[in-house]
Amino acid sequence: MLPTRSSDVLVLGGGIIGLVTAWRAAQRGFATAVVDPEPGGGAAQVAAGMLAAVTELHYGEQTLLGLNLASARRYPEFAAELTDLTGQDLGYRQCGTLAVALDADDRAHLRELHALQRESGLDSEWLSGRDCRRLEPMLAPGVRGGLRVDGDHQIDPRSLARALVTACELEGVVFHRVWAAGLSVVQGRAAGCVTEDGTVLPAGQVVLAAGSLSGRLAGVPKDVLPPVRPVKGQVLRLSMPRRHAPFLSRTVRAMVRGSHVYLVPRENGELVVGATSEEQGWDTTVTAGGVYELLRDAHELMPGITELPLTETRAGLRPGSPDNAPLLGPTELDGLLLATGHYRNGVLLTPVTGDALAHALATGELIDEARPFSPKRFAVLEQRV
Ligand code: GLY
């Protein structure tokens, strides 16, 4: 089949990471195209949309914290720009988050998280169980204490994905609604892709942004293929009553018997409950066990939840990487860049990923905040072993 017209930038994957990359690239004047059968789909259709740089801090992930905070700082302006451009509401709520403890073990764990947050210079306030319930009266009476983090917000990832598709369209991004079957490499340089229907799409530079599928694209040299794997997350959606007093006014999360559970209340009355974390390969089945565990843990946190209509159950795949951090920017293969491996932070990292990839496409360099996340860090590790 004859090749179609060449793009400057071809983005493989039209989830929120691919879309923000395409949008920002097109804004810089690159002729940009996206290859995806369903732009705006993927993990964003499942994700709750917590922007939780502070409450999702983990030991050993302080470098990632820097990138998470860089993206959190960009969010207000990013959301305003996208809303102004598209006229679409993104469900961006600066509502804060409350992380609570249900027993002595959870409380000790939260105390440690609080210490780590303070060492890292982050704002969070320790509250007694009574103060937690004063903030959120529907919480279980047994709540033993919690952390109030007013800087961790939320956005509706489905609205974000829709708006990014519109923003791309407005910037002239071309959509090829088909799967990419393989990368084209010509004389040692990424030169485009071949789609599932055999169409050749030539390009000056290619960005692989296909979430957990990024590690499977044919034609990518083995030492350049990103080490990402799917990590399944099951998520529920419920509907809150529209009463005078809100059922829940901010995101509430807890660790229950070692599993994370979070409740994210949207302004439109939707309550998102997430999420399981399962190493199950490519399976996206919603299981009775997954739904049971989420409802059981959410019920321990907020007993009133069992009264709410259950409107949706769904599973998605997080693109996990060996160090839980994304792979951003140029690879060892000329012309091929990566934007994948965002794991639990894809929605949060959307703004900084767009900026980092657009800069890398224009200059070949990463912005300072993104430098530690070059895909080349794994190539170096491989050479050492
Ligand atoms: N960031 C929430 C999750 O991945 O479940």
Side-chain angles (χ1 to χ4, degrees), residues 50 56 262 275 318 344:
M50 287 180 300
E56 287 217 352
Y262 45 80
R318 307 173 183 90
R344 301 183 69 93

Side-chain angles (χ1 to χ4, degrees), residues 239-262:
S239 175
M240 296 181 290
R242 294 184 178 273
R243 292 200 211 108
H244 183 59
F247 185 83
L248 192 62
S249 60
R250 74 201 70 223
T251 297
V252 169
R253 54 185 305 150
M255 183 83 109
V256 184
R257 288 177 290 272
S259 303
H260 291 282
V261 64
Y262 45 80

Side-chain angles (χ1 to χ4, degrees), residues 138 238 247 263 271 273 295 298-299 302-309:
M138 297 299 283
L238 296 92
F247 185 83
L263 283 74
L271 180 65
V273 178
L295 285 177
H299 173 257
M302 296 192 78
I305 199 168
T306 47
E307 307 294 323
L308 305 183

Side-chain angles (χ1 to χ4, degrees), residues 128-304:
S128 66
R130 182 179 299 179
D131 284 342
C132 290
R133 283 193 303 283
R134 214 170 268 144
L135 275 185
E136 295 298 343
M138 297 299 283
L139 279 174
V143 164
R144 303 282 290 266
L147 285 175
R148 176 177 176 166
V149 178
D150 286 343
D152 275 1
H153 304 309
Q154 61 153 300
I155 194 163
D156 183 340
R158 293 177 177 177
S159 305
L160 173 62
R162 200 176 311 121
L164 283 169
V165 171
T166 305
C168 283
E169 284 167 350
L170 291 170
E171 277 303 332
V173 172
V174 173
F175 286 101
H176 300 281
R177 292 172 197 271
V178 61
W179 289 111
L183 183 74
S184 313
V185 179
V186 177
Q187 292 176 344
R189 190 185 159 85
C193 83
V194 182
T195 65
E196 236 181 6
D197 61 10
T199 308
V200 177
L201 301 175
Q205 299 187 78
V206 179
V207 181
L208 178 51
S212 49
L213 289 166
S214 305
R216 310 211 312 180
L217 186 69
V220 181
K222 195 172 158 286
D223 54 339
V224 174
L225 207 58
V228 290
R229 67 185 196 286
V231 182
K232 178 178 173 182
Q234 301 191 47
V235 172
L236 316 177
R237 284 174 162 78
L238 296 92
S239 175
M240 296 181 290
R242 294 184 178 273
R243 292 200 211 108
H244 183 59
F247 185 83
L248 192 62
S249 60
R250 74 201 70 223
T251 297
V252 169
R253 54 185 305 150
M255 183 83 109
V256 184
R257 288 177 290 272
S259 303
H260 291 282
V261 64
Y262 45 80
L263 283 74
V264 182
R266 303 234 194 276
E267 224 135 50
N268 65 6
E270 184 176 78
L271 180 65
V272 186
V273 178
T276 64
S277 193
E278 304 164 64
E279 302 274 354
Q280 301 269 16
W282 301 97
D283 171 42
T284 51
T285 315
V286 175
T287 62
V291 174
Y292 165 71
E293 280 168 30
L294 288 172
L295 285 177
R296 180 195 62 197
D297 295 350
H299 173 257
E300 276 190 39
L301 211 53
M302 296 192 78

